[in-house]
């Protein structure tokens, strides 16, 4: 599955950076964004995750996010997530960049996680930026800010919004300085995350993609593994143990 050349290179590497997308959580039962999963009540999920929907129809916006939050309460990390915990333990300079907002990398046990698109468990005010405390009640159909009375939103990046600056610059640095870069379970089309593999490759990293299908990144990768993250990553850990 993984080439000998890659395994030999990986074992000698200090710097490993991993980018994950919705595909790594698919085997946990979290729907992806594109393809057949990208619909909620026959609506495009990407249309739900916008300021426009929050402003024009906050009830619908929050119905969608409350549905996602409830769903996430029922899911657990899968073997792909756990394999990345093992990978973090094996490399001195390890960074995990995720576009996922589902918290599953932290729940699995990774500690060095850069969340590029935020975290759905947080609730912040769309007007004044106040972040709800853990004991604050945000369970209403449309949660309202305790400080300014404004409409709240989950702590995720909505379409068209900027990414958290620190997480993005740390991610760009992790991409620029690693020796091996993994792109796992992402369609590799949403910027600026989509540029990270190219930054890595431009700085001499070995680029490896793991996905159930080819993506626009595939032709630029040094190695493409077609398969499920939850099956291929445990195999990688097993192969590394034998080297
Ligand atoms: P996508 O839904 O665009 O892509 C998921 C990718 O995972 C696809 O390329 C699938 O082929 C692949 N895949 C599915 N199951 C897999 C499995 N078991 N193992 C490996 N790969 C698998 O999700 P993202 O690339 O994460 O942004 O999307 C990027 C961003 O677009 C999201 O973070 C979100 C979305 O709009 C925001 O909400 C800001």
């Amino acid at each position: 599955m993984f080439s000998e050349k890659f395994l030999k290179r990986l074992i000698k590497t200090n710097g490993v950076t991993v980018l994950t997308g919705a595909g790594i959580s698919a085997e946990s039962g979290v729907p992806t964004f594109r393809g057949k999963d990208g619909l909620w009540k026959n609506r495009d999920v990407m249309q739900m995750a916008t300021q426009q929907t929050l402003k024009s129809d906050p009830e619908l916006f929050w119905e969608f996010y409350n549905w996602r939050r409830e769903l996430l309460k029922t899911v657990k990390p899968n073997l792909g997530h756990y394999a990345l915990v093992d990978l973090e333990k094996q490399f001195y300079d390890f960074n995990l960049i995720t576009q996922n907002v589902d918290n599953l990398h932290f729940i699995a046990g990774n500690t060095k996680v850069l969340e590029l698109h935020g975290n759905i468990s947080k609730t912040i005010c769309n007007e004044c930026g106040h972040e709800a405390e853990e004991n604050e009640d945000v369970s209403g159909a449309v949660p309202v800010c305790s400080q300014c009375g404004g409409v709240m939103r989950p702590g995720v990046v909505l379409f068209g919004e900027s990414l958290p600056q620190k997480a993005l610059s740390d991610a760009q640095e992790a991409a620029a300085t690693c020796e091996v870069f993994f792109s796992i379970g992402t369609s590799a089309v949403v910027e600026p995350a989509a540029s990270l593999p190219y930054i890595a490759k431009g700085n001499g990293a070995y680029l490896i993609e793991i996905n159930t299908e080819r993506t626009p990144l595939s032709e630029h990768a040094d190695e493409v593994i077609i398969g499920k993250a939850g099956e291929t990553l445990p195999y990688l850990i097993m192969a590394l143990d034998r080297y």
Side-chain angles (χ1 to χ4, degrees):
M1 185 188 288
F2 295 90
S3 75
E4 193 86 4
K5 179 180 162 206
F6 165 66
L7 290 170
K8 280 192 175 143
R9 177 151 178 175
L10 184 59
I11 204 75
K12 288 200 207 113
T13 294
N14 287 317
V16 172
T17 295
V18 178
L19 171 69
T20 62
I24 194 153
S25 297
E27 289 156 84
S28 292
V30 183
T32 57
F33 289 89
R34 291 171 184 78
K36 65 174 173 44
D37 276 353
L39 286 180
W40 172 75
K41 293 194 167 181
N42 262 338
R43 293 181 168 94
D44 183 343
V45 297
M46 285 180 277
Q47 228 182 317
M48 289 297 108
T50 59
Q51 278 287 347
Q52 201 187 358
T53 304
L54 175 60
K55 296 217 163 102
S56 64
D57 197 342
E59 284 82 10
L60 180 70
F61 176 94
W62 269 105
E63 192 186 337
F64 170 69
Y65 275 102
N66 281 330
W67 167 74
R68 278 190 80 92
R69 279 181 170 174
E70 287 307 311
L71 176 94
L72 289 175
K73 283 183 194 158
T74 66
V75 304
K76 293 193 181 82
N78 63 58
L79 292 179
H81 293 103
Y82 289 118
L84 293 180
V85 179
D86 289 340
L87 213 59
E88 176 172 332
K89 288 184 187 143
Q90 293 201 26
F91 293 95
Y92 172 71
D93 185 9
F94 176 90
N95 286 285
L96 174 52
I97 306 163
T98 189
Q99 299 164 86
N100 299 344
V101 299
D102 58 23
N103 221 19
L104 289 178
H105 288 305
F106 280 117
I107 295 171
N110 278 109
T111 59
K112 298 180 83 180
V113 185
L114 296 168
E115 291 179 311
L116 280 188
H117 293 166
N119 190 309
I120 198 172
S121 61
K122 294 186 179 144
T123 307
I124 54 177
C125 177
N126 201 41
E127 302 300 326
C128 73
H130 165 73
E131 184 175 336
E133 308 284 337
E134 272 194 23
N135 57 359
E136 233 173 287
D137 183 14
V138 289
S139 62
V142 179
V144 168
C145 178
S146 61
Q147 307 295 303
C148 76
V151 168
M152 304 206 64
R153 39 95 52 96
V156 301
V157 174
L158 300 176
F159 270 97
E161 292 183 332
S162 313
L163 271 58
Q165 198 45 52
K166 171 91 172 84
L168 178 59
S169 57
D170 287 353
Q172 286 164 336
E173 193 184 332
T177 55
C178 68
E179 293 164 66
V180 173
F181 187 99
F182 288 86
S183 177
I184 304 173
T186 173
S187 55
V189 292
V190 177
E191 292 292 356
S195 290
L196 296 170
Y198 297 97
I199 294 177
K201 184 144 173 117
N203 283 281
Y206 194 93
L207 179 56
I208 179 150
E209 178 179 56
I210 300 177
N211 199 304
T212 45
E213 57 188 38
R214 288 182 71 85
T215 73
L217 180 66
S218 304
E219 61 181 288
H220 305 278
D222 294 296
E223 198 151 330
V224 179
I225 307 293
I226 298 292
K228 292 183 173 177
E231 292 169 4
T232 54
L233 285 169
Y235 180 90
L236 174 67
I237 300 302
M238 211 169 64
L240 274 182
D241 282 348
R242 287 174 186 263
Y243 268 78

